[in-house]
Amino acid sequence: MVLPVEPEFEQALNELTQSLQPFLAANPHYQKALDIVQVPERVLQFRVVWEDDKGVPQVNRGFRVQYNSALGPYKGGLRLHPSVNLSILKFLGFEQTFKNALTGLSMGGGKGGSDFDPKGKSDSEIRRFCTAFMSELFRHIGQDTDVPAGDIGTGAREIGFLFGAYKKLKNEFVGMLTGKGLDWGGSFIRPEATGYGLIYFVEHMIAKSCPEFSLNLPSTIVAISGSGNVSQFTALKVIELGATVKSLSDSKGALIAPQGFTKADILSIGKLKLKGGTLESWVSQQPGNRFVYHAGKRPWTLLPVIHHALPGATQNEVSGEEAKALVAAGVRIVAEGSNMGCTEEAITVFEDARKAGKGVWYAPGSKFLFFSSFTLDTNYRALPAEASNCGGVAVSGLEMAQNSQRLAWTTQEVDNKLKNIMAEAYSQCLNAGTKYSGEKMTSGVLPSLLAGANVAGFIKVADAMREQGDWW
């Protein structure tokens, strides 16, 4: 059979397959599980016809990839963006399956969306699109079947429209979407979850590798890119803990705070971003000279000293040259809150620095990454793709749990559960990396959390599939 060309999905599959080779060599019977798990359980594609403000019918393609339900209902976001296609959604659903497995919650993996672009559309147009989209999707989702969430282009407004359409079609009020409003089934700290979860994971890395650069110390310098939801809450958590955040950015340029951002600064930027404002316009309204704006720049080359770099904007936002600048600035941890934040060239720089004993530890976000060698002969550790930014889906799972019980937990309860989930994910990755990475472990060499995450998530899904009769 001639399969369609799906470059994003094929790359993710190839990278996972390669990273599993040491484990599969020791456990060859799991090869059959890999052969089966890579095929989605169900792929839905449908037409979405909606009416624009001029009364003209418009058409878009709708998708839902229900990838794997071995551990629970399908769980993954709905992406609304012109770039959406089946290859991207299969890649994301595949990755989501193993990310969700690491949370310890009852969630399978899935992903969906449409090539509809909400940018430039009126609220009425978006509402009509969401109603048309849900008029087909409602047949295939439910609180015990498939629970979508927000993603790029799908925020609180879109979740509200989608939930309302489902409620009218099904005549029931159930938790079949996450990311809902607090007054109608949402969870506390859901907006904060990805940023907070990233920091909770990074704290474990720091404690094991470089406690002298703890986030509790004002002398610890943290560079963050982006200024959207993830970056704002990453910055707020770092500031709360006591470290110094010296950078943010957006698509127009980078903003440097030589003395550090304050909580009030981040909250003010957040309000501006909700209105579509830029950092350049924000800094022009600030008194004094606390900030330096660099048009067309990213923050990685703009600070002489950086202890921890946290990309939180978009994919491929750290180039090879910028990675070299980070290493020269003394960076110890590069942990992505964004998806695929570093280019392959940047990853190579960090890997070379690790091999040279410079203590750089790289933490990719939401993508399977495979290095040609997993030999950890110096103090370097790659944080696993699925684990570094799984805080968002973890709190989505907690929202599902609250909905099932018809309860609402307090902010502190949810935050404590998120901390425990991230600690358990770290432990799983550490243990699996120690046991299954294929490395020769020597004194002073840390195991590969990258390999550990891939193996831990894969084993959990594969074992559940075998017990349910999906392979033998």
Side-chain angles (χ1 to χ4, degrees):
M1 177 180 178
V2 178
L3 297 175
V5 176
E6 296 173 328
E8 294 86 0
F9 170 68
E10 291 166 10
Q11 181 182 0
L13 175 60
N14 290 338
E15 289 165 350
L16 174 66
T17 300
Q18 292 180 72
S19 70
L20 289 176
Q21 287 309 304
F23 169 76
L24 294 175
N27 302 272
H29 58 289
Y30 275 92
Q31 179 62 51
K32 181 55 65 176
L34 179 59
D35 294 340
I36 293 173
V37 75
Q38 65 187 257
V39 180
E41 293 179 9
R42 188 175 297 106
V43 175
L44 307 167
Q45 182 171 346
F46 50 93
R47 180 180 65 194
V48 184
V49 180
W50 56 280
E51 183 180 334
D52 67 20
D53 285 341
K54 297 178 180 179
V56 177
Q58 303 291 337
V59 63
N60 288 96
R61 294 163 180 81
F63 304 90
R64 187 65 178 171
V65 178
Q66 296 177 330
Y67 220 102
N68 191 283
S69 60
L71 298 178
Y74 307 108
K75 186 79 189 81
L78 294 172
R79 177 169 296 190
L80 301 181
H81 193 271
S83 67
V84 165
N85 59 45
L86 193 54
S87 174
I88 289 173
L89 295 179
K90 283 181 66 177
F91 148 58
L92 293 170
F94 187 59
E95 178 267 335
Q96 194 79 48
T97 297
F98 303 102
K99 176 190 284 190
N100 292 356
L102 292 177
T103 68
L105 301 175
S106 180
M107 297 185 293
K111 206 75 175 182
S114 173
D115 56 4
F116 172 81
D117 187 359
K119 287 188 176 180
K121 305 293 193 303
S122 69
D123 284 356
S124 294
E125 288 176 322
I126 292 171
R127 175 175 49 79
R128 288 192 290 268
F129 168 81
C130 288
T131 299
F133 183 81
M134 186 56 74
S135 69
E136 174 58 34
L137 186 65
F138 87 98
R139 310 173 199 276
H140 311 287
I141 64 174
Q143 63 177 345
D144 297 318
T145 306
D146 184 350
V147 184
D151 199 276
I152 294 173
T154 306
R157 172 184 56 183
E158 289 77 16
I159 290 292
F161 291 154
L162 290 165
F163 183 85
Y166 181 92
K167 185 161 63 75
K168 293 181 178 70
L169 289 163
K170 296 286 286 186
N171 192 31
E172 61 182 20
F173 190 108
V174 295
M176 37 57 68
L177 282 171
T178 57
K180 301 184 294 297
L182 286 174
D183 292 332
W184 43 281
S187 175
F188 284 110
I189 79 163
R190 178 61 189 90
E192 300 94 328
T194 302
Y196 281 16
L198 173 66
I199 295 304
Y200 295 154
F201 208 127
V202 165
E203 283 188 297
H204 288 283
M205 295 177 67
I206 292 172
K208 191 170 180 66
S209 65
C210 51
E212 67 273 23
F213 297 119
S214 166
L215 294 178
N216 300 120
L217 300 174
S219 58
T220 298
I221 297 171
V222 181
I224 298 173
S225 67
S227 50
N229 182 72
V230 173
S231 300
Q232 289 170 33
F233 288 113
T234 298
L236 287 171
K237 179 57 68 174
V238 170
I239 293 168
E240 175 189 325
L241 291 171
T244 301
V245 175
K246 288 199 173 184
S247 73
L248 293 172
S249 67
D250 60 16
S251 60
K252 304 296 184 181
L255 183 60
I256 302 299
Q259 303 306 314
F261 288 92
T262 65
K263 178 180 178 180
D265 294 333
I266 304 300
L267 294 176
S268 175
I269 288 170
K271 291 180 181 179
L272 182 72
K273 285 295 176 179
L274 285 175
K275 301 175 183 178
T278 65
L279 291 177
E280 184 175 17
S281 63
W282 182 84
V283 75
S284 67
Q285 302 167 12
Q286 305 308 305
N289 56 355
R290 289 181 53 223
F291 307 99
V292 180
Y293 180 76
H294 299 264
K297 298 285 188 179
R298 295 185 290 225
W300 316 123
T301 62
L302 303 176
L303 291 167
V305 176
I306 298 174
H307 297 130
H308 307 311
L310 308 177
T314 186
Q315 69 272 12
N316 296 328
E317 58 171 308
V318 183
S319 68
E321 289 302 313
E322 289 168 325
K324 292 177 183 177
L326 283 171
V327 172
V331 74
R332 296 300 299 272
I333 288 177
V334 181
E336 294 177 354
S338 58
N339 297 337
M340 299 181 286
C342 296
T343 64
E344 292 184 9
E345 292 79 11
I347 294 167
T348 299
V349 170
F350 296 137
E351 177 71 348
D352 289 345
R354 185 268 300 175
K355 292 177 180 179
K358 296 182 180 179
V360 180
W361 294 19
Y362 167 60
S366 282
K367 185 182 186 292
F368 294 112
L369 292 172
F370 172 71
F371 297 133
S372 58
S373 172
F374 283 121
T375 303
L376 293 183
D377 51 359
T378 58
N379 288 330
Y380 171 89
R381 178 168 37 165
L383 180 64
E386 312 87 287
S388 62
N389 61 9
C390 71
V393 73
V395 175
S396 283
L398 296 177
E399 182 177 329
M400 292 167 62
Q402 292 170 81
N403 292 166
S404 295
Q405 299 175 68
R406 297 291 196 270
L407 294 174
W409 297 328
T410 65
T411 299
Q412 191 59 53
E413 287 177 304
V414 177
D415 197 34
N416 287 338
K417 292 178 188 294
L418 175 60
K419 288 179 181 178
N420 291 336
I421 288 170
M422 301 310 293
E424 177 60 24
Y426 176 85
S427 178
Q428 289 182 66
C429 299
L430 187 66
N431 293 337
T434 301
K435 187 175 181 181
Y436 294 120
S437 66
E439 302 160 3
K440 182 179 179 181
M441 302 304 299
T442 58
S443 177
V445 175
L446 294 163
S448 168
L449 291 186
L450 171 63
N454 286 346
V455 173
F458 173 74
I459 291 175
K460 199 166 186 179
V461 174
D463 285 351
M465 291 173 64
R466 179 170 55 186
E467 291 166 9
Q468 295 167 25
D470 288 333
W471 68 282
W472 50 93

